[in-house]
PDB file of all heavy atoms in Angstrom:
ATOM      1  N   LEU S   1       0.837  -1.200   0.000  1.00 97.00           N
ATOM      2  CA  LEU S   1       0.000   0.000   0.000  1.00 97.00           C
ATOM      3  C   LEU S   1       0.873   1.252   0.000  1.00 97.00           C
ATOM      4  O   LEU S   1       0.516   2.267  -0.605  1.00 97.00           O
ATOM      5  CB  LEU S   1      -0.933   0.001   1.207  1.00 97.00           C
ATOM      6  CG  LEU S   1      -1.886  -1.194   1.327  1.00 97.00           C
ATOM      7  CD1 LEU S   1      -2.740  -1.069   2.595  1.00 97.00           C
ATOM      8  CD2 LEU S   1      -2.767  -1.306   0.089  1.00 97.00           C
ATOM      9  N   ALA S   2       2.008   1.160   0.673  1.00 98.00           N
ATOM     10  CA  ALA S   2       2.951   2.280   0.662  1.00 98.00           C
ATOM     11  C   ALA S   2       3.558   2.456  -0.727  1.00 98.00           C
ATOM     12  O   ALA S   2       3.708   3.576  -1.223  1.00 98.00           O
ATOM     13  CB  ALA S   2       4.057   2.050   1.696  1.00 98.00           C
ATOM     14  N   TYR S   3       3.896   1.336  -1.383  1.00 98.00           N
ATOM     15  CA  TYR S   3       4.409   1.433  -2.749  1.00 98.00           C
ATOM     16  C   TYR S   3       3.394   2.128  -3.660  1.00 98.00           C
ATOM     17  O   TYR S   3       3.755   2.926  -4.524  1.00 98.00           O
ATOM     18  CB  TYR S   3       4.695   0.035  -3.312  1.00 98.00           C
ATOM     19  CG  TYR S   3       5.836  -0.726  -2.689  1.00 98.00           C
ATOM     20  CD1 TYR S   3       5.918  -2.109  -2.823  1.00 98.00           C
ATOM     21  CD2 TYR S   3       6.859  -0.083  -1.992  1.00 98.00           C
ATOM     22  CE1 TYR S   3       6.963  -2.840  -2.283  1.00 98.00           C
ATOM     23  CE2 TYR S   3       7.910  -0.796  -1.444  1.00 98.00           C
ATOM     24  CZ  TYR S   3       7.963  -2.182  -1.586  1.00 98.00           C
ATOM     25  OH  TYR S   3       9.003  -2.895  -1.044  1.00 98.00           O
ATOM     26  N   GLU S   4       2.110   1.791  -3.472  1.00 97.00           N
ATOM     27  CA  GLU S   4       1.065   2.410  -4.292  1.00 97.00           C
ATOM     28  C   GLU S   4       0.997   3.919  -4.061  1.00 97.00           C
ATOM     29  O   GLU S   4       0.739   4.689  -4.992  1.00 97.00           O
ATOM     30  CB  GLU S   4      -0.287   1.767  -3.981  1.00 97.00           C
ATOM     31  CG  GLU S   4      -0.411   0.333  -4.458  1.00 97.00           C
ATOM     32  CD  GLU S   4      -1.704  -0.314  -4.024  1.00 97.00           C
ATOM     33  OE1 GLU S   4      -2.566   0.400  -3.453  1.00 97.00           O
ATOM     34  OE2 GLU S   4      -1.875  -1.531  -4.251  1.00 97.00           O
ATOM     35  N   LEU S   5       1.229   4.327  -2.819  1.00 97.00           N
ATOM     36  CA  LEU S   5       1.229   5.758  -2.510  1.00 97.00           C
ATOM     37  C   LEU S   5       2.306   6.467  -3.324  1.00 97.00           C
ATOM     38  O   LEU S   5       2.081   7.544  -3.885  1.00 97.00           O
ATOM     39  CB  LEU S   5       1.481   5.955  -1.009  1.00 97.00           C
ATOM     40  CG  LEU S   5       1.471   7.403  -0.497  1.00 97.00           C
ATOM     41  CD1 LEU S   5       0.045   7.928  -0.441  1.00 97.00           C
ATOM     42  CD2 LEU S   5       2.111   7.477   0.889  1.00 97.00           C
ATOM     43  N   GLU S   6       3.476   5.851  -3.407  1.00 95.00           N
ATOM     44  CA  GLU S   6       4.587   6.443  -4.151  1.00 95.00           C
ATOM     45  C   GLU S   6       4.311   6.448  -5.653  1.00 95.00           C
ATOM     46  O   GLU S   6       4.780   7.337  -6.374  1.00 95.00           O
ATOM     47  CB  GLU S   6       5.875   5.669  -3.851  1.00 95.00           C
ATOM     48  CG  GLU S   6       7.138   6.362  -4.275  1.00 95.00           C
ATOM     49  CD  GLU S   6       8.376   5.669  -3.744  1.00 95.00           C
ATOM     50  OE1 GLU S   6       8.382   4.422  -3.698  1.00 95.00           O
ATOM     51  OE2 GLU S   6       9.333   6.360  -3.378  1.00 95.00           O
ATOM     52  N   ARG S   7       3.549   5.455  -6.124  1.00 96.00           N
ATOM     53  CA  ARG S   7       3.192   5.432  -7.545  1.00 96.00           C
ATOM     54  C   ARG S   7       2.142   6.492  -7.880  1.00 96.00           C
ATOM     55  O   ARG S   7       2.136   7.041  -8.983  1.00 96.00           O
ATOM     56  CB  ARG S   7       2.674   4.041  -7.941  1.00 96.00           C
ATOM     57  CG  ARG S   7       3.751   2.976  -8.038  1.00 96.00           C
ATOM     58  CD  ARG S   7       3.234   1.755  -8.770  1.00 96.00           C
ATOM     59  NE  ARG S   7       2.190   1.055  -8.031  1.00 96.00           N
ATOM     60  CZ  ARG S   7       2.424   0.051  -7.192  1.00 96.00           C
ATOM     61  NH1 ARG S   7       3.675  -0.346  -6.987  1.00 96.00           N
ATOM     62  NH2 ARG S   7       1.427  -0.547  -6.560  1.00 96.00           N
ATOM     63  N   ASP S   8       1.246   6.751  -6.932  1.00 97.00           N
ATOM     64  CA  ASP S   8       0.112   7.657  -7.204  1.00 97.00           C
ATOM     65  C   ASP S   8       0.440   9.124  -6.968  1.00 97.00           C
ATOM     66  O   ASP S   8      -0.219  10.003  -7.542  1.00 97.00           O
ATOM     67  CB  ASP S   8      -1.083   7.276  -6.322  1.00 97.00           C
ATOM     68  CG  ASP S   8      -1.664   5.920  -6.697  1.00 97.00           C
ATOM     69  OD1 ASP S   8      -1.347   5.421  -7.791  1.00 97.00           O
ATOM     70  OD2 ASP S   8      -2.423   5.358  -5.890  1.00 97.00           O
ATOM     71  N   PHE S   9       1.421   9.404  -6.114  1.00 97.00           N
ATOM     72  CA  PHE S   9       1.769  10.786  -5.775  1.00 97.00           C
ATOM     73  C   PHE S   9       3.265  11.022  -6.005  1.00 97.00           C
ATOM     74  O   PHE S   9       4.070  10.094  -5.891  1.00 97.00           O
ATOM     75  CB  PHE S   9       1.464  11.079  -4.303  1.00 97.00           C
ATOM     76  CG  PHE S   9       0.012  11.195  -3.960  1.00 97.00           C
ATOM     77  CD1 PHE S   9      -0.713  10.074  -3.573  1.00 97.00           C
ATOM     78  CD2 PHE S   9      -0.643  12.419  -4.009  1.00 97.00           C
ATOM     79  CE1 PHE S   9      -2.056  10.171  -3.243  1.00 97.00           C
ATOM     80  CE2 PHE S   9      -1.977  12.532  -3.676  1.00 97.00           C
ATOM     81  CZ  PHE S   9      -2.689  11.400  -3.292  1.00 97.00           C
ATOM     82  N   PRO S  10       3.661  12.252  -6.284  1.00 95.00           N
ATOM     83  CA  PRO S  10       5.082  12.576  -6.402  1.00 95.00           C
ATOM     84  C   PRO S  10       5.709  12.706  -5.014  1.00 95.00           C
ATOM     85  O   PRO S  10       6.063  13.803  -4.554  1.00 95.00           O
ATOM     86  CB  PRO S  10       5.076  13.905  -7.160  1.00 95.00           C
ATOM     87  CG  PRO S  10       3.790  14.555  -6.749  1.00 95.00           C
ATOM     88  CD  PRO S  10       2.804  13.427  -6.605  1.00 95.00           C
ATOM     89  N   VAL S  11       5.803  11.571  -4.326  1.00 97.00           N
ATOM     90  CA  VAL S  11       6.416  11.535  -3.002  1.00 97.00           C
ATOM     91  C   VAL S  11       7.556  10.526  -3.024  1.00 97.00           C
ATOM     92  O   VAL S  11       7.576   9.609  -3.855  1.00 97.00           O
ATOM     93  CB  VAL S  11       5.408  11.160  -1.889  1.00 97.00           C
ATOM     94  CG1 VAL S  11       4.288  12.184  -1.797  1.00 97.00           C
ATOM     95  CG2 VAL S  11       4.848   9.756  -2.103  1.00 97.00           C
ATOM     96  N   ARG S  12       8.475  10.698  -2.096  1.00 97.00           N
ATOM     97  CA  ARG S  12       9.581   9.747  -1.935  1.00 97.00           C
ATOM     98  C   ARG S  12       9.428   9.055  -0.591  1.00 97.00           C
ATOM     99  O   ARG S  12       9.325   9.727   0.445  1.00 97.00           O
ATOM    100  CB  ARG S  12      10.922  10.487  -1.980  1.00 97.00           C
ATOM    101  CG  ARG S  12      12.141   9.574  -1.880  1.00 97.00           C
ATOM    102  CD  ARG S  12      13.426  10.386  -1.845  1.00 97.00           C
ATOM    103  NE  ARG S  12      13.575  11.117  -0.600  1.00 97.00           N
ATOM    104  CZ  ARG S  12      14.153  10.613   0.499  1.00 97.00           C
ATOM    105  NH1 ARG S  12      14.616   9.368   0.511  1.00 97.00           N
ATOM    106  NH2 ARG S  12      14.270  11.343   1.581  1.00 97.00           N
ATOM    107  N   LEU S  13       9.383   7.728  -0.598  1.00 98.00           N
ATOM    108  CA  LEU S  13       9.293   6.985   0.649  1.00 98.00           C
ATOM    109  C   LEU S  13      10.682   6.802   1.237  1.00 98.00           C
ATOM    110  O   LEU S  13      11.595   6.306   0.571  1.00 98.00           O
ATOM    111  CB  LEU S  13       8.655   5.613   0.414  1.00 98.00           C
ATOM    112  CG  LEU S  13       7.226   5.593  -0.129  1.00 98.00           C
ATOM    113  CD1 LEU S  13       6.740   4.147  -0.228  1.00 98.00           C
ATOM    114  CD2 LEU S  13       6.283   6.399   0.756  1.00 98.00           C
ATOM    115  N   ASP S  14      10.837   7.210   2.475  1.00 98.00           N
ATOM    116  CA  ASP S  14      12.103   7.029   3.192  1.00 98.00           C
ATOM    117  C   ASP S  14      11.868   5.940   4.234  1.00 98.00           C
ATOM    118  O   ASP S  14      11.355   6.197   5.316  1.00 98.00           O
ATOM    119  CB  ASP S  14      12.519   8.346   3.861  1.00 98.00           C
ATOM    120  CG  ASP S  14      13.861   8.224   4.568  1.00 98.00           C
ATOM    121  OD1 ASP S  14      14.624   7.286   4.245  1.00 98.00           O
ATOM    122  OD2 ASP S  14      14.140   9.059   5.459  1.00 98.00           O
ATOM    123  N   TRP S  15      12.214   4.702   3.886  1.00 98.00           N
ATOM    124  CA  TRP S  15      11.980   3.565   4.764  1.00 98.00           C
ATOM    125  C   TRP S  15      13.027   3.517   5.876  1.00 98.00           C
ATOM    126  O   TRP S  15      14.224   3.589   5.616  1.00 98.00           O
ATOM    127  CB  TRP S  15      12.044   2.268   3.971  1.00 98.00           C
ATOM    128  CG  TRP S  15      10.921   2.077   3.008  1.00 98.00           C
ATOM    129  CD1 TRP S  15      10.888   2.476   1.699  1.00 98.00           C
ATOM    130  CD2 TRP S  15       9.669   1.431   3.259  1.00 98.00           C
ATOM    131  NE1 TRP S  15       9.685   2.119   1.126  1.00 98.00           N
ATOM    132  CE2 TRP S  15       8.922   1.466   2.051  1.00 98.00           C
ATOM    133  CE3 TRP S  15       9.110   0.822   4.384  1.00 98.00           C
ATOM    134  CZ2 TRP S  15       7.656   0.918   1.944  1.00 98.00           C
ATOM    135  CZ3 TRP S  15       7.848   0.271   4.281  1.00 98.00           C
ATOM    136  CH2 TRP S  15       7.128   0.320   3.072  1.00 98.00           C
ATOM    137  N   LEU S  16      12.561   3.390   7.116  1.00 98.00           N
ATOM    138  CA  LEU S  16      13.461   3.314   8.261  1.00 98.00           C
ATOM    139  C   LEU S  16      12.991   2.209   9.214  1.00 98.00           C
ATOM    140  O   LEU S  16      11.795   1.921   9.307  1.00 98.00           O
ATOM    141  CB  LEU S  16      13.489   4.650   9.013  1.00 98.00           C
ATOM    142  CG  LEU S  16      14.156   5.825   8.294  1.00 98.00           C
ATOM    143  CD1 LEU S  16      13.969   7.105   9.093  1.00 98.00           C
ATOM    144  CD2 LEU S  16      15.643   5.554   8.071  1.00 98.00           C
ATOM    145  N   PRO S  17      13.936   1.611   9.921  1.00 98.00           N
ATOM    146  CA  PRO S  17      13.560   0.559  10.864  1.00 98.00           C
ATOM    147  C   PRO S  17      13.107   1.125  12.202  1.00 98.00           C
ATOM    148  O   PRO S  17      13.623   2.149  12.665  1.00 98.00           O
ATOM    149  CB  PRO S  17      14.864  -0.229  11.030  1.00 98.00           C
ATOM    150  CG  PRO S  17      15.940   0.799  10.847  1.00 98.00           C
ATOM    151  CD  PRO S  17      15.397   1.765   9.810  1.00 98.00           C
ATOM    152  N   TYR S  18      12.128   0.461  12.795  1.00 98.00           N
ATOM    153  CA  TYR S  18      11.748   0.747  14.179  1.00 98.00           C
ATOM    154  C   TYR S  18      11.550  -0.604  14.856  1.00 98.00           C
ATOM    155  O   TYR S  18      10.651  -1.365  14.488  1.00 98.00           O
ATOM    156  CB  TYR S  18      10.476   1.584  14.279  1.00 98.00           C
ATOM    157  CG  TYR S  18      10.143   1.910  15.727  1.00 98.00           C
ATOM    158  CD1 TYR S  18      10.877   2.859  16.418  1.00 98.00           C
ATOM    159  CD2 TYR S  18       9.135   1.219  16.402  1.00 98.00           C
ATOM    160  CE1 TYR S  18      10.613   3.125  17.751  1.00 98.00           C
ATOM    161  CE2 TYR S  18       8.861   1.490  17.731  1.00 98.00           C
ATOM    162  CZ  TYR S  18       9.605   2.446  18.403  1.00 98.00           C
ATOM    163  OH  TYR S  18       9.345   2.711  19.726  1.00 98.00           O
ATOM    164  N   THR S  19      12.400  -0.904  15.818  1.00 95.00           N
ATOM    165  CA  THR S  19      12.386  -2.208  16.454  1.00 95.00           C
ATOM    166  C   THR S  19      11.307  -2.282  17.523  1.00 95.00           C
ATOM    167  O   THR S  19      11.367  -1.593  18.543  1.00 95.00           O
ATOM    168  CB  THR S  19      13.759  -2.512  17.101  1.00 95.00           C
ATOM    169  OG1 THR S  19      14.793  -2.300  16.143  1.00 95.00           O
ATOM    170  CG2 THR S  19      13.813  -3.944  17.584  1.00 95.00           C
ATOM    171  N   LEU S  20      10.317  -3.124  17.276  1.00 94.00           N
ATOM    172  CA  LEU S  20       9.229  -3.294  18.241  1.00 94.00           C
ATOM    173  C   LEU S  20       9.689  -4.100  19.451  1.00 94.00           C
ATOM    174  O   LEU S  20      10.355  -5.123  19.306  1.00 94.00           O
ATOM    175  CB  LEU S  20       8.053  -4.032  17.585  1.00 94.00           C
ATOM    176  CG  LEU S  20       7.257  -3.301  16.509  1.00 94.00           C
ATOM    177  CD1 LEU S  20       6.211  -4.243  15.937  1.00 94.00           C
ATOM    178  CD2 LEU S  20       6.595  -2.053  17.077  1.00 94.00           C
ATOM    179  N   ASP S  21       9.286  -3.645  20.626  1.00 87.00           N
ATOM    180  CA  ASP S  21       9.519  -4.397  21.861  1.00 87.00           C
ATOM    181  C   ASP S  21       8.198  -5.093  22.208  1.00 87.00           C
ATOM    182  O   ASP S  21       7.454  -4.651  23.082  1.00 87.00           O
ATOM    183  CB  ASP S  21       9.959  -3.455  22.981  1.00 87.00           C
ATOM    184  CG  ASP S  21      10.235  -4.188  24.289  1.00 87.00           C
ATOM    185  OD1 ASP S  21      10.235  -5.437  24.287  1.00 87.00           O
ATOM    186  OD2 ASP S  21      10.413  -3.506  25.325  1.00 87.00           O
ATOM    187  N   ILE S  22       7.903  -6.170  21.509  1.00 78.00           N
ATOM    188  CA  ILE S  22       6.599  -6.824  21.634  1.00 78.00           C
ATOM    189  C   ILE S  22       6.313  -7.321  23.047  1.00 78.00           C
ATOM    190  O   ILE S  22       5.188  -7.136  23.557  1.00 78.00           O
ATOM    191  CB  ILE S  22       6.477  -7.963  20.604  1.00 78.00           C
ATOM    192  CG1 ILE S  22       6.431  -7.367  19.190  1.00 78.00           C
ATOM    193  CG2 ILE S  22       5.230  -8.811  20.859  1.00 78.00           C
ATOM    194  CD1 ILE S  22       6.399  -8.395  18.078  1.00 78.00           C
ATOM    195  N   PRO S  23       7.266  -7.943  23.749  1.00 65.00           N
ATOM    196  CA  PRO S  23       6.948  -8.423  25.102  1.00 65.00           C
ATOM    197  C   PRO S  23       6.494  -7.326  26.051  1.00 65.00           C
ATOM    198  O   PRO S  23       5.767  -7.602  27.015  1.00 65.00           O
ATOM    199  CB  PRO S  23       8.272  -9.056  25.569  1.00 65.00           C
ATOM    200  CG  PRO S  23       8.946  -9.470  24.303  1.00 65.00           C
ATOM    201  CD  PRO S  23       8.605  -8.381  23.323  1.00 65.00           C
ATOM    202  N   SER S  24       6.884  -6.072  25.799  1.00 72.00           N
ATOM    203  CA  SER S  24       6.526  -4.998  26.718  1.00 72.00           C
ATOM    204  C   SER S  24       5.037  -4.687  26.697  1.00 72.00           C
ATOM    205  O   SER S  24       4.506  -4.126  27.648  1.00 72.00           O
ATOM    206  CB  SER S  24       7.324  -3.733  26.395  1.00 72.00           C
ATOM    207  OG  SER S  24       6.910  -3.166  25.156  1.00 72.00           O
ATOM    208  N   PHE S  25       4.347  -5.044  25.591  1.00 67.00           N
ATOM    209  CA  PHE S  25       2.913  -4.740  25.541  1.00 67.00           C
ATOM    210  C   PHE S  25       2.033  -5.949  25.208  1.00 67.00           C
ATOM    211  O   PHE S  25       0.834  -5.923  25.464  1.00 67.00           O
ATOM    212  CB  PHE S  25       2.618  -3.597  24.553  1.00 67.00           C
ATOM    213  CG  PHE S  25       3.043  -3.844  23.135  1.00 67.00           C
ATOM    214  CD1 PHE S  25       2.154  -4.347  22.206  1.00 67.00           C
ATOM    215  CD2 PHE S  25       4.333  -3.536  22.725  1.00 67.00           C
ATOM    216  CE1 PHE S  25       2.547  -4.555  20.886  1.00 67.00           C
ATOM    217  CE2 PHE S  25       4.729  -3.736  21.408  1.00 67.00           C
ATOM    218  CZ  PHE S  25       3.832  -4.258  20.489  1.00 67.00           C
ATOM    219  N   LEU S  26       2.646  -7.025  24.692  1.00 67.00           N
ATOM    220  CA  LEU S  26       1.855  -8.221  24.389  1.00 67.00           C
ATOM    221  C   LEU S  26       2.387  -9.477  25.077  1.00 67.00           C
ATOM    222  O   LEU S  26       1.886 -10.573  24.815  1.00 67.00           O
ATOM    223  CB  LEU S  26       1.803  -8.460  22.875  1.00 67.00           C
ATOM    224  CG  LEU S  26       0.905  -7.512  22.074  1.00 67.00           C
ATOM    225  CD1 LEU S  26       1.005  -7.829  20.586  1.00 67.00           C
ATOM    226  CD2 LEU S  26      -0.543  -7.599  22.534  1.00 67.00           C
ATOM    227  N   GLY S  27       3.389  -9.307  25.942  1.00 72.00           N
ATOM    228  CA  GLY S  27       3.963 -10.481  26.576  1.00 72.00           C
ATOM    229  C   GLY S  27       4.744 -11.303  25.562  1.00 72.00           C
ATOM    230  O   GLY S  27       4.981 -10.876  24.432  1.00 72.00           O
ATOM    231  N   SER S  28       5.143 -12.503  25.966  1.00 73.00           N
ATOM    232  CA  SER S  28       5.918 -13.359  25.072  1.00 73.00           C
ATOM    233  C   SER S  28       5.458 -14.805  25.205  1.00 73.00           C
ATOM    234  O   SER S  28       4.868 -15.196  26.215  1.00 73.00           O
ATOM    235  CB  SER S  28       7.416 -13.262  25.379  1.00 73.00           C
ATOM    236  OG  SER S  28       7.681 -13.717  26.692  1.00 73.00           O
TER     237      SER S  28
END
């Protein structure tokens, strides 16, 4: 869906990582 956004609009996607700490909110 993000790729489609870049195809439909003159925008540049700047992909960056964000490391989820899943155990902190959903346990493990």
